[in-house]
Amino acid sequence: MPLLAHLSELRRRVTICAIAVAVAGIAGFAMSDLVIAAAAEPLRHLQSPSLTGLNFTRIGEAFDLRFKIALALGIVLAAPVWIFEGWAFLVPGLTSRERRAGLLFVATAVPLFFGGVAFGWMVVPQIVTLLAGFAPAGSTTMLTASQYFDFLLKLVVGVGLSFVSPLVLIALNAVGVLSGRTIVRGWRVALVVIIVFSAAVTPPADLLSMLVIALPLCALYAGSAVWTWLHDRRVERRNRSES
C-alpha cells in the first residue's frame, strides 16, 4: 500500500476506536454514581487519623469528575475494540504465521487487560489505607475529589496496561523482530522505561504507589525475557534438526 493509503487506513482505524470509546464513555457517564460510591468505600473504613469525605472545591468539579470517570470507563470497556483495531492495522503487512501469532496476542491481551484493571481496583483500598496511615495522630486528612480520582483512575488503567506489556515483547519475538537475547540485554533500558511509566500513572512524589506499579512490571518483564529466550532456544534446536 502507498503511504497515503496507509494514512487513510490509520485514520479509519483511529476513528473506529474513538467512536467505540465515546459510546462506552456514555455508558460510563451513566455509571459514574456507582463508580464514585464504590471508589469512596475504602475511605469509610479508615479509623485513625480522622479523614473527611471527598470534597469538591469548584462549582464544575463534580461534572469534571464524572467526565474523567466516563473517559476512563470508555477506554476500559472499549479495550476489545482498540486492541483488535491495532492488530487489524498491521495485518496487511504480516505473513500467515505472524497473523496467527497476532490473533493469539489479541485473544490473550483482552482478558489480561481486564485482569490488570481488576487487580488495580482491588489493591486501591490497601494503598489508600497505608498512605493515610502516615498522617500524624489527631490530624484530619482533607481529600479533594479530583485529586483522589486522578490517583485511582491512573493507577487502575496503568495496572491494566502493564499487564499487557509482556505480550508485546512476546509478540515481537514471535514474529522475529526482537530476539530473546536482545530483550534480556535491554533490562537497563526497560527499567528506566518502567520507572518513567510508573511515575506517569501515579501521583507526584508518591513513591509507594509508583513501586506498586513498577515491581509487577519488572516481574512481568523478567517473565517475558525468560519466555522469549526459551522460545529462541527451541527455534534454534528445531532449525538444527531440520538441517
Side-chain angles (χ1 to χ4, degrees):
M1 295 173 63
L3 177 60
L4 290 179
H6 277 296
L7 293 176
S8 177
E9 177 72 5
L10 177 61
R11 182 177 59 186
R12 188 173 73 87
R13 298 292 180 186
V14 170
T15 301
I16 293 174
C17 293
I19 293 174
V21 171
V23 172
I26 293 173
F29 193 90
M31 297 166 56
S32 58
D33 281 331
L34 296 176
V35 175
I36 292 173
E41 185 64 25
L43 304 178
R44 300 191 181 99
H45 300 290
L46 297 177
Q47 300 298 327
S48 180
S50 59
L51 186 144
T52 65
L54 296 177
N55 299 282
F56 294 91
T57 58
R58 294 182 292 104
I59 294 294
E61 188 173 1
F63 175 80
D64 292 343
L65 175 61
R66 292 177 185 274
F67 182 81
K68 290 178 182 178
I69 293 173
L71 180 60
L73 284 179
I75 293 173
V76 171
L77 296 177
V81 176
W82 53 260
I83 289 175
F84 174 81
E85 291 298 327
W87 172 80
F89 175 71
L90 300 175
V91 163
L94 301 179
T95 64
S96 58
R97 185 176 70 87
E98 292 169 345
R99 292 182 185 184
R100 290 194 297 269
L103 280 175
L104 180 62
F105 169 81
V106 173
T108 310
V110 172
L112 270 180
F113 177 77
F114 285 129
V117 168
F119 175 77
W121 183 267
M122 287 188 295
V123 301
V124 163
Q126 287 73 26
I127 295 176
V128 170
T129 302
L130 183 60
L131 291 177
F134 285 101
S139 64
T140 300
T141 302
M142 304 289 291
L143 287 178
T144 63
S146 293
Q147 183 185 31
Y148 179 67
F149 276 89
D150 281 346
F151 155 74
L152 185 148
L153 295 176
K154 285 182 180 179
L155 182 65
V156 169
V157 176
V159 173
L161 292 174
S162 71
F163 271 51
V164 180
S165 59
L167 282 180
V168 176
L169 297 177
I170 293 173
L172 292 175
N173 174 256
V175 300
V177 175
L178 276 179
S179 67
R181 183 174 300 176
T182 300
I183 295 173
V184 172
R185 290 180 175 177
W187 69 269
R188 294 179 182 84
V189 176
L191 182 61
V192 173
V193 172
I194 288 172
I195 292 174
V196 172
F197 175 80
S198 302
V201 299
T202 52
D206 190 349
L207 295 179
L208 182 61
S209 300
M210 189 179 75
L211 286 176
V212 169
I213 299 293
L215 291 179
L217 270 176
C218 290
L220 290 169
Y221 180 84
S224 63
V226 173
W227 178 283
T228 54
W229 182 76
L230 293 175
H231 172 263
D232 288 351
R233 292 284 301 273
R234 289 194 299 268
V235 171
E236 289 175 4
R237 286 198 299 267
R238 185 172 64 245
N239 291 338
R240 284 197 300 265
S241 64
E242 290 176 354
S243 60

